[in-house]
Amino acid sequence: MDLEEIKSIDSQNMWELLNTFPEQWKEAVESTKNIDLTIDKERISNICFVGMGGSAIGADLIRSFCYDRCPFPIQVVRHYEIPCWVDENTLFIACSFSGNTEETLTALTSAREKGAQIIAVTAGGELMVKAAKEEFDYIKIPGGMPPRAALGYSFVPLYRIFQQLELVEERDGALKDTARFLSEQNDLLSDPGDNEALNLAEEINDTLPIVYSDATMMEPVNLRWRNQFAENAKTLAYGNTLPEMNHNEIVGWEQIVHLTGRLSVILLIDKEDNPRVQRRMEIVEELVEDQTASLHILKTRGQTRLARMFSLIQLADWTSLYLAVVSNVDPTPIAKIDLLKSKLA
Ligand SMILES: O=P(O)(O)OC[C@H]1O[C@](O)(CO)[C@@H](O)[C@@H]1O
């Protein structure tokens, strides 16, 4: 494959957005260095995020990143409705790239009514107008791209908020290490001639990808694979997490012999996965391998936990782009979402 071939299919240059992702990350790290928040930190006893799609995944990532460190419960809501426990002790973080997503705005209104402290992360729209008018904290991020291609801009501010709450390390070590890692890996994955993401896309093309991972830190990484396959490559992908799938779903492989060779399995592995989950993953591999067209074990790379999580996110993003190209579909348009929105309007 060469760049010309990619560009003939990729009308709005998703290739370029992925290729500049490491720069986006660095820019986000710089521009959020001194965010000014007025929230009362002493009042916080739980955190609730609201967002949809590409704007919710950043929230999932920070929640999973802190899974074993954050003393507060954290929930990520993808809905109009918020949990009844949201109150004046809640830090409510509304994430919307456009600032106009109806579920997010509705949930925010309810959280305001319940007295929660609010921070918005947005590139503009109604959310920013509201923040200015109602005088709650907001972090403005750059606009002009699909939300799923703006994960650096939407995740780094959340990391910064967590730094101010002393829920992640105060220094920028992990942010900078991740920037370095993403640049290095990008050099490999953006080479259209031959790279791991392209090879993976070619191997799983014409199959239903099934993504399995541990349920803690890797859960949002798993979700990112499936969402990017859907939005970029316009193909369904299925996924689940361990250990739970060992207690039900694994049995479901028994009666799907007619799909043998039409499924590919992607196992996402990190060295911090629970040791029993690691063993369970090996057994799952043995149990399903014969029924798959191909099985891929993808281990996180990089030094810090943050770099490791983003190592497989970047691989997911590139794999979904190449899968779009090998399937001859334009990665950027999301016609079915547009249609849905027009019917809802
Ligand atoms: O970040 P926003 O603008 O709230 O959008 C959330 C999600 O909604 C969509 O715009 C489509 O409904 C997605 O592309 C996006 O991931």
Side-chain angles (χ1 to χ4, degrees):
M1 188 175 291
D2 60 32
L3 207 48
E4 285 314 303
E5 191 183 343
I6 294 173
K7 295 208 165 156
S8 68
I9 297 169
D10 179 17
S11 72
Q12 289 164 66
N13 220 346
M14 182 64 81
W15 187 91
E16 185 59 20
L17 284 170
L18 296 192
N19 195 36
T20 51
F21 183 73
E23 294 312 311
Q24 178 188 131
W25 182 276
K26 283 184 208 150
E27 195 190 315
V29 170
E30 280 306 305
S31 65
T32 54
K33 250 183 183 160
N34 302 309
I35 51 166
D36 189 19
L37 299 177
T38 63
I39 48 161
D40 174 5
K41 295 170 197 155
E42 303 306 317
R43 226 174 85 193
I44 300 168
S45 60
N46 54 65
I47 300 176
C48 184
F49 289 94
V50 66
M52 302 302 298
S55 285
I57 197 87
D60 287 334
L61 284 161
I62 194 75
R63 178 182 52 82
S64 296
F65 179 76
C66 295
Y67 187 80
D68 56 355
R69 302 173 193 183
C70 177
F72 307 132
I74 304 178
Q75 186 165 339
V76 180
V77 170
R78 291 174 159 85
H79 207 281
Y80 302 86
E81 311 283 347
I82 58 171
C84 87
W85 50 257
V86 170
D87 62 15
E88 60 281 355
N89 299 120
T90 303
L91 173 61
F92 192 87
I93 306 178
C95 308
S96 173
F97 191 76
S98 65
N100 292 323
T101 297
E102 61 178 44
E103 296 93 323
T104 309
L105 291 169
T106 307
L108 169 69
T109 303
S110 306
R112 295 269 297 154
E113 281 164 13
K114 287 169 147 249
Q117 300 197 79
I118 313 284
I119 305 177
V121 178
T122 184
E126 206 180 315
L127 184 53
M128 207 161 82
V129 172
K130 250 178 173 317
K133 202 161 118 200
E134 296 172 23
E135 297 183 349
F136 55 80
D137 287 340
Y138 69 92
I139 301 171
K140 183 168 174 4
I141 59 178
M145 64 194 73
R148 64 186 183 280
L151 187 55
Y153 290 139
S154 54
F155 173 80
V156 173
L158 305 183
Y159 192 93
R160 291 298 193 195
I161 295 169
F162 273 48
Q163 273 183 326
Q164 293 208 4
L165 299 177
E166 295 168 31
L167 299 175
V168 297
E169 65 158 1
E170 263 176 72
R171 292 181 309 107
D172 286 355
L175 288 173
K176 290 193 171 150
D177 174 63
T178 305
R180 255 191 315 273
F181 178 86
L182 289 171
S183 284
E184 282 166 22
Q185 184 166 261
N186 196 63
D187 289 345
L188 303 173
L189 299 180
S190 59
D191 175 357
D194 177 37
N195 74 67
E196 185 185 1
L198 174 61
N199 295 338
L200 181 54
E202 282 171 340
E203 284 190 51
I204 64 175
N205 190 21
D206 285 332
T207 68
L208 176 75
I210 301 180
V211 188
Y212 289 138
S213 68
D214 184 284
T216 56
M217 191 186 109
M218 296 302 284
E219 187 179 29
V221 181
N222 183 334
L223 182 61
R224 176 72 170 186
W225 277 84
R226 291 177 276 136
N227 288 349
Q228 290 290 72
F229 281 147
E231 285 196 85
N232 287 344
K234 284 55 170 169
T235 187
L236 281 182
Y238 174 77
N240 206 341
T241 53
L242 278 74
E244 177 64 13
M245 69 77 71
N246 283 182
H247 296 270
N248 33 60
E249 177 169 320
I250 190 64
V251 189
W253 279 82
E254 237 174 79
Q255 279 300 315
I256 53 159
V257 276
H258 56 290
L259 293 179
T260 298
R262 316 244 11 219
L263 308 170
S264 50
V265 166
I266 297 175
L267 303 178
L268 308 179
I269 314 266
D270 181 72
K271 65 180 184 190
E272 281 189 278
D273 289 347
N274 176 284
R276 292 298 287 164
V277 169
Q278 291 184 27
R279 180 64 194 127
R280 285 172 181 275
M281 197 76 89
E282 289 165 3
I283 300 169
V284 168
E285 183 191 335
E286 283 165 25
L287 294 180
V288 304
E289 188 163 25
D290 288 352
Q291 283 174 259
T292 63
S294 60
L295 184 142
H296 308 268
I297 299 172
L298 304 179
K299 296 190 175 161
T300 58
R301 313 96 203 249
Q303 295 299 315
T304 55
R305 181 185 284 191
L306 194 61
R308 296 202 314 277
M309 290 171 85
F310 274 88
S311 69
L312 290 191
I313 285 194
Q314 191 182 39
L315 184 62
D317 291 358
W318 278 105
T319 304
S320 66
L321 173 101
Y322 291 121
L323 185 58
V325 175
V326 297
S327 328
N328 206 17
V329 296
D330 191 341
T332 307
I334 41 171
K336 288 243 186 308
I337 296 180
D338 297 338
L339 180 64
L340 225 146
K341 281 189 181 169
S342 71
K343 283 179 184 281
L344 277 168

